[in-house]
Amino acid sequence: MRMRATARGWTAVWLVVMALVQAAAFLAVWRVAVHSEIGQWIDTVALTGNRIGQDRIDGPVDTLLNAMSVVSLLAATATIGFIALMRGRIALAITATLLIAGANLSTQLLKYGLDRPDYGLDPERAGVGNSLPSGHTAVAASVAVALVLVLPRKVRAVGAFLGATYAAVAGVATLSAGWHRPSDAVAAYLVVGVWAALAGLLLLITQREQAQVAPGDAHRLAALLLGVTGVLALIACVLALSWLVELRDTGPDELSRRPLFVGYAGSAAGIAGTMAVVMALVLIVVHRLVPRVKG
């Protein structure tokens, strides 16, 4: 198998750009969804639309979300660390653990530190205050991304698809259960994406100069498929919400079934699309962060 030295400089640049872009996207989501009337209106419409067919999915949704406890997070973190240690990757085990811990701790700090103005659009939940980012979504996404980092190259692409699907389902589930607004889930993915980039930089720092990577480990097709799927889902989200905005002078509780469904389905597409793009960004570069030959 032909090998080449890892391009650490360009990889570091990519990770810095990846962190900055996702941090900027987080700020944009927060400003639009939380600090603008139209953003809060769209979130409320999507959350109101979750009532459509809710009785059919209540059971599975509650089971999925209730399984995300502190104990299950600790168990998943320990399992991920164990996989890395079994591969002889001590630095990887530590970094994956820091990624999960950092993403979930910062999610909680942001949730309680950010303010949410009350525009009178959602009086039912006004007393709850800020709920962005979603803690449950951050748990699922951070575990999924950390797992992709520690998995062997032969099953990494499969793990990326399964992990992205699991995290996306978890994010949509928080909306379906009425636990979180769609922007909460999107923001959680972006927080995890920033931490994934920071974890990548840490892995580069601990990586030896003679580390080498096989070009065939790049998983370009899988990353492209995830990225394209995510972008298409985001486009569908934008189109759905653009149509919905035309009804912005109507209260969420006064909307008919069709716009409520469009708001819910469009937001669900945005949630899933964001997770797919975040995972694609990780999969593009992970083979350089965890090279086949450590040196």
Side-chain angles (χ1 to χ4, degrees):
M1 172 75 70
R2 185 169 63 89
M3 311 289 286
R4 65 167 180 249
T6 55
R8 299 176 70 191
W10 285 110
T11 303
V13 170
W14 167 260
L15 291 170
V16 170
V17 171
M18 180 174 156
L20 292 176
V21 168
Q22 291 180 105
F26 173 89
L27 290 174
V29 169
W30 173 62
R31 290 295 299 177
V32 172
V34 178
H35 282 265
S36 73
E37 290 190 37
I38 187 61
Q40 286 198 13
W41 182 84
I42 290 174
D43 261 356
T44 305
V45 170
L47 202 51
T48 304
N50 76 342
R51 302 169 186 169
I52 301 174
Q54 189 176 36
D55 54 335
R56 302 176 184 175
I57 60 174
D58 260 348
V61 165
D62 287 343
T63 299
L64 174 65
L65 295 177
N66 289 328
M68 295 180 190
S69 62
V70 174
V71 174
S72 64
L73 177 61
L74 292 175
T77 304
T79 301
I80 287 171
F82 178 74
I83 293 173
L85 291 175
M86 287 293 292
R87 299 181 60 200
R89 309 269 185 159
I90 298 176
L92 180 58
I94 296 173
T95 302
T97 301
L98 289 175
L99 189 163
I100 295 173
N104 286 283
L105 178 59
S106 58
T107 292
Q108 295 305 318
L109 292 175
L110 287 167
K111 182 184 298 186
Y112 293 106
L114 297 176
D115 65 305
R116 180 182 179 85
D118 182 11
Y119 295 124
L121 296 167
D122 191 10
E124 182 180 344
R125 304 173 185 85
V128 177
N130 179 59
S131 57
L132 180 149
S134 164
H136 282 76
T137 306
V139 168
S142 61
V143 168
V145 170
L147 182 62
V148 171
L149 288 181
V150 304
L151 283 176
R153 62 187 182 277
K154 292 182 179 180
V155 295
R156 189 176 289 151
V158 174
F161 279 102
L162 294 177
T165 300
Y166 166 68
V169 169
V172 174
T174 64
L175 172 62
S176 299
W179 289 15
H180 278 285
R181 304 170 178 95
S183 60
D184 299 350
V186 171
Y189 296 140
L190 295 171
V191 169
V192 172
V194 170
W195 276 95
L198 296 177
L201 288 171
L202 180 58
L203 287 173
L204 278 185
I205 292 172
T206 60
Q207 189 180 108
R208 298 180 183 179
E209 289 290 345
Q210 62 267 42
Q212 294 180 320
V213 62
D217 292 346
H219 298 298
R220 293 186 181 89
L221 182 59
L224 179 63
L225 183 56
L226 270 172
V228 170
T229 301
V231 169
L232 290 176
L234 289 174
I235 291 174
C237 171
V238 170
L239 292 175
L241 298 186
S242 296
W243 174 83
L244 190 65
V245 166
E246 297 179 1
L247 305 173
R248 61 184 176 274
D249 293 329
T250 306
D253 289 328
E254 301 172 0
L255 291 172
S256 63
R257 182 184 179 92
R258 182 184 178 189
L260 288 177
F261 177 76
V262 169
Y264 172 77
S267 296
I271 291 172
T274 303
M275 183 60 221
V277 171
V278 169
M279 186 63 83
L281 292 174
V282 173
L283 195 57
I284 286 173
V285 73
V286 66
H287 67 292
R288 295 189 179 278
L289 306 177
V290 191
R292 183 180 300 193
V293 178
K294 295 182 290 181

